[in-house]
Amino acid sequence: MPFTTNVQGDITHWSEFEPLRHTTAVLFDWYYQQGFRSAHYRVVEQVMVGRDHATVELCWHVARADQHFWVHHTGYQLRWVNEEWKICGIMQITEPEQTHLVGEDEEIWTPLALAEAALAHAIQRPGSPLTTE
């Protein structure tokens, strides 16, 4: 902590662990309900920003139960803490040449952007009460 997300330009700054843990659990459950079953990545680029900060871009391949899969890029901000790299921020912006759902003709979004749109009622953002309507 702190932790920052930037999904399609919607920036959230998390200063407490429990709301972030809750949101992560809600997101993972939604991914599973949508048929997401496994993922692997390759490092596209990594840049050191001083001795204890770095950025990395990963290209994710996320397999779904229906044989379709997502290919998308996600940027991470890393901080060296207690002798290991910790993620302190995520940036996910859809760019048509980098992100696509293979095998379906539908609007192009990253899985995280889709999940956040679908779960707006269930995700508690810092400073706002959780609603379940």
Side-chain angles (χ1 to χ4, degrees), residues 21 48 65 70 81-82 107 130:
R21 187 208 60 77
M48 289 298 299
W70 283 95
V81 177
N82 297 327
E107 187 172 354
L130 177 63

mmCIF file of all heavy atoms in Angstrom, residues 21 48 65 70 81-82 107 130:
data_model
loop_
_atom_site.group_PDB
_atom_site.id
_atom_site.type_symbol
_atom_site.label_atom_id
_atom_site.label_comp_id
_atom_site.label_asym_id
_atom_site.label_seq_id
_atom_site.Cartn_x
_atom_site.Cartn_y
_atom_site.Cartn_z
ATOM 1 N N ARG A 21 -8.450 -5.835 -1.328
ATOM 2 C CA ARG A 21 -8.601 -7.294 -1.289
ATOM 3 C C ARG A 21 -10.019 -7.689 -1.703
ATOM 4 O O ARG A 21 -10.221 -8.590 -2.508
ATOM 5 C CB ARG A 21 -8.293 -7.851 0.108
ATOM 6 C CG ARG A 21 -8.283 -9.384 0.136
ATOM 7 C CD ARG A 21 -8.650 -9.954 1.495
ATOM 8 N NE ARG A 21 -9.966 -9.568 1.946
ATOM 9 C CZ ARG A 21 -11.125 -10.091 1.515
ATOM 10 N NH1 ARG A 21 -11.136 -11.024 0.601
ATOM 11 N NH2 ARG A 21 -12.287 -9.662 1.989
ATOM 12 N N MET A 48 14.008 0.429 -15.519
ATOM 13 C CA MET A 48 14.341 0.806 -14.146
ATOM 14 C C MET A 48 14.162 2.316 -14.008
ATOM 15 O O MET A 48 14.571 3.080 -14.877
ATOM 16 C CB MET A 48 15.789 0.437 -13.807
ATOM 17 C CG MET A 48 16.028 -1.047 -13.669
ATOM 18 S SD MET A 48 15.084 -1.803 -12.322
ATOM 19 C CE MET A 48 15.720 -0.933 -10.893
ATOM 20 N N ALA A 65 -12.926 -20.781 -21.168
ATOM 21 C CA ALA A 65 -13.479 -22.129 -21.288
ATOM 22 C C ALA A 65 -14.087 -22.382 -22.665
ATOM 23 O O ALA A 65 -14.140 -23.518 -23.118
ATOM 24 C CB ALA A 65 -14.532 -22.357 -20.197
ATOM 25 N N TRP A 70 -8.270 -13.807 -24.613
ATOM 26 C CA TRP A 70 -7.919 -12.397 -24.665
ATOM 27 C C TRP A 70 -6.417 -12.267 -24.835
ATOM 28 O O TRP A 70 -5.656 -13.008 -24.229
ATOM 29 C CB TRP A 70 -8.284 -11.699 -23.365
ATOM 30 C CG TRP A 70 -9.722 -11.386 -23.194
ATOM 31 C CD1 TRP A 70 -10.644 -12.146 -22.543
ATOM 32 C CD2 TRP A 70 -10.413 -10.230 -23.653
ATOM 33 N NE1 TRP A 70 -11.866 -11.533 -22.573
ATOM 34 C CE2 TRP A 70 -11.752 -10.355 -23.241
ATOM 35 C CE3 TRP A 70 -10.024 -9.099 -24.370
ATOM 36 C CZ2 TRP A 70 -12.701 -9.387 -23.522
ATOM 37 C CZ3 TRP A 70 -10.973 -8.136 -24.645
ATOM 38 C CH2 TRP A 70 -12.299 -8.288 -24.224
ATOM 39 N N VAL A 81 10.694 -3.773 -2.291
ATOM 40 C CA VAL A 81 10.350 -3.727 -0.872
ATOM 41 C C VAL A 81 10.741 -5.058 -0.254
ATOM 42 O O VAL A 81 10.357 -6.122 -0.764
ATOM 43 C CB VAL A 81 8.831 -3.490 -0.674
ATOM 44 C CG1 VAL A 81 8.471 -3.511 0.812
ATOM 45 C CG2 VAL A 81 8.395 -2.190 -1.319
ATOM 46 N N ASN A 82 11.479 -5.030 0.847
ATOM 47 C CA ASN A 82 11.865 -6.245 1.572
ATOM 48 C C ASN A 82 12.475 -7.292 0.649
ATOM 49 O O ASN A 82 12.107 -8.468 0.670
ATOM 50 C CB ASN A 82 10.663 -6.832 2.322
ATOM 51 C CG ASN A 82 10.145 -5.890 3.388
ATOM 52 O OD1 ASN A 82 10.911 -5.141 4.006
ATOM 53 N ND2 ASN A 82 8.846 -5.900 3.598
ATOM 54 N N GLU A 107 -17.355 -5.365 -29.143
ATOM 55 C CA GLU A 107 -16.538 -4.208 -28.792
ATOM 56 C C GLU A 107 -15.262 -4.654 -28.079
ATOM 57 O O GLU A 107 -15.269 -5.597 -27.302
ATOM 58 C CB GLU A 107 -17.333 -3.267 -27.883
ATOM 59 C CG GLU A 107 -16.614 -1.970 -27.631
ATOM 60 C CD GLU A 107 -17.488 -0.974 -26.885
ATOM 61 O OE1 GLU A 107 -18.672 -1.254 -26.670
ATOM 62 O OE2 GLU A 107 -16.956 0.074 -26.527
ATOM 63 N N LEU A 130 -19.895 0.783 -0.191
ATOM 64 C CA LEU A 130 -20.182 -0.365 -1.045
ATOM 65 C C LEU A 130 -21.686 -0.494 -1.196
ATOM 66 O O LEU A 130 -22.429 -0.477 -0.229
ATOM 67 C CB LEU A 130 -19.620 -1.654 -0.436
ATOM 68 C CG LEU A 130 -19.918 -2.947 -1.191
ATOM 69 C CD1 LEU A 130 -19.275 -2.901 -2.576
ATOM 70 C CD2 LEU A 130 -19.411 -4.140 -0.427
#
